Amino acid sequence: MVDAWKADPAASFVRRLCKPPHGDGVSTTRAECPDIWELDNGDIAVIGKDLTSAFGSRIPDNASIDFDERLVILPRATFISAKANMPDA
Protein backbone atom coordinates (compact mmCIF):
# COMPACT_ATOMS: atom_id res chain seq x y z
CA MET A 1 0.00 0.00 0.00
CA VAL A 2 1.26 3.48 -0.86
CA ASP A 3 1.44 6.04 1.93
CA ALA A 4 -0.72 9.12 1.49
CA TRP A 5 1.11 12.26 0.46
CA LYS A 6 1.75 14.77 3.22
CA ALA A 7 2.97 18.32 2.78
CA ASP A 8 6.32 18.98 4.44
CA PRO A 9 6.21 22.28 6.37
CA ALA A 10 10.01 22.23 6.65
CA ALA A 11 10.57 22.30 2.85
CA SER A 12 12.34 25.32 1.41
CA PHE A 13 11.66 27.43 -1.67
CA VAL A 14 14.13 26.57 -4.46
CA ARG A 15 13.03 28.37 -7.62
CA ARG A 16 10.18 30.32 -9.10
CA LEU A 17 8.49 28.40 -11.93
CA CYS A 18 6.60 31.33 -13.45
CA LYS A 19 7.52 34.84 -14.46
CA PRO A 20 7.79 37.28 -11.57
CA PRO A 21 4.26 38.61 -10.91
CA HIS A 22 5.34 42.24 -11.22
CA GLY A 23 6.98 41.65 -14.58
CA ASP A 24 4.15 39.98 -16.44
CA GLY A 25 1.35 42.49 -15.87
CA VAL A 26 -0.57 40.21 -13.48
CA SER A 27 0.23 42.24 -10.37
CA THR A 28 0.64 45.94 -9.81
CA THR A 29 1.31 45.88 -6.06
CA ARG A 30 3.66 43.90 -3.84
CA ALA A 31 0.69 42.66 -1.79
CA GLU A 32 -0.94 40.99 -4.80
CA CYS A 33 1.56 38.43 -6.08
CA PRO A 34 0.22 35.16 -7.55
CA ASP A 35 3.20 32.82 -7.83
CA ILE A 36 4.30 29.21 -8.39
CA TRP A 37 7.43 27.82 -6.69
CA GLU A 38 9.28 24.51 -6.64
CA LEU A 39 10.29 23.33 -3.17
CA ASP A 40 13.50 21.47 -2.30
CA ASN A 41 11.57 18.20 -1.95
CA GLY A 42 10.07 18.54 -5.44
CA ASP A 43 6.62 19.68 -4.29
CA ILE A 44 5.04 22.83 -5.71
CA ALA A 45 3.90 25.84 -3.68
CA VAL A 46 1.15 28.03 -5.14
CA ILE A 47 0.34 31.56 -4.02
CA GLY A 48 -3.08 32.69 -5.18
CA LYS A 49 -6.50 33.80 -4.05
CA ASP A 50 -8.25 31.44 -1.62
CA LEU A 51 -11.68 30.89 -3.15
CA THR A 52 -12.49 27.66 -1.33
CA SER A 53 -15.81 28.97 -0.03
CA ALA A 54 -16.84 30.32 -3.45
CA PHE A 55 -16.03 27.14 -5.39
CA GLY A 56 -16.38 24.48 -2.67
CA SER A 57 -19.98 23.55 -3.38
CA ARG A 58 -19.40 23.49 -7.16
CA ILE A 59 -16.35 21.27 -7.54
CA PRO A 60 -16.75 18.18 -9.76
CA ASP A 61 -18.01 14.96 -8.18
CA ASN A 62 -14.63 13.28 -8.66
CA ALA A 63 -12.75 16.02 -6.75
CA SER A 64 -12.77 17.00 -3.09
CA ILE A 65 -11.32 19.58 -0.72
CA ASP A 66 -10.20 18.12 2.60
CA PHE A 67 -10.53 20.07 5.85
CA ASP A 68 -6.88 21.20 5.69
CA GLU A 69 -6.88 22.09 1.95
CA ARG A 70 -7.84 25.24 0.07
CA LEU A 71 -8.88 25.82 -3.53
CA VAL A 72 -6.53 28.48 -4.89
CA ILE A 73 -7.08 30.45 -8.09
CA LEU A 74 -4.21 31.72 -10.24
CA PRO A 75 -4.35 34.06 -13.20
CA ARG A 76 -4.00 32.16 -16.48
CA ALA A 77 -0.91 34.19 -17.39
CA THR A 78 0.86 33.05 -14.21
CA PHE A 79 0.19 29.38 -14.90
CA ILE A 80 1.09 29.60 -18.60
CA SER A 81 4.37 31.35 -17.80
CA ALA A 82 5.35 28.35 -15.64
CA LYS A 83 4.83 25.81 -18.45
CA ALA A 84 8.42 26.00 -19.72
CA ASN A 85 9.70 25.01 -16.24
CA MET A 86 7.38 22.03 -15.75
CA PRO A 87 8.50 18.52 -16.71
CA ASP A 88 6.45 16.62 -19.29
CA ALA A 89 6.27 13.53 -17.08
Side-chain angles (χ1 to χ4, degrees):
M1 181 174 191
V2 178
D3 290 334
W5 172 81
K6 296 199 185 313
D8 180 3
S12 298
F13 290 88
V14 172
R15 68 182 178 124
R16 175 180 273 127
L17 296 179
C18 59
K19 292 179 183 176
H22 302 300
D24 66 3
V26 170
S27 178
T28 57
T29 68
R30 183 157 172 76
E32 189 177 82
C33 300
D35 227 333
I36 305 171
W37 284 80
E38 180 179 1
L39 302 178
D40 62 359
N41 65 358
D43 286 347
I44 306 300
V46 176
I47 301 170
K49 298 290 184 185
D50 179 358
L51 292 181
T52 306
S53 60
F55 282 83
S57 64
R58 299 183 286 141
I59 61 171
D61 290 338
N62 60 349
S64 64
I65 302 171
D66 204 4
F67 74 95
D68 62 347
E69 296 176 324
R70 299 294 174 264
L71 186 145
V72 178
I73 303 297
L74 292 176
R76 179 178 176 82
T78 300
F79 188 74
I80 297 299
S81 73
K83 183 178 179 182
N85 295 313
M86 292 182 191
D88 290 333

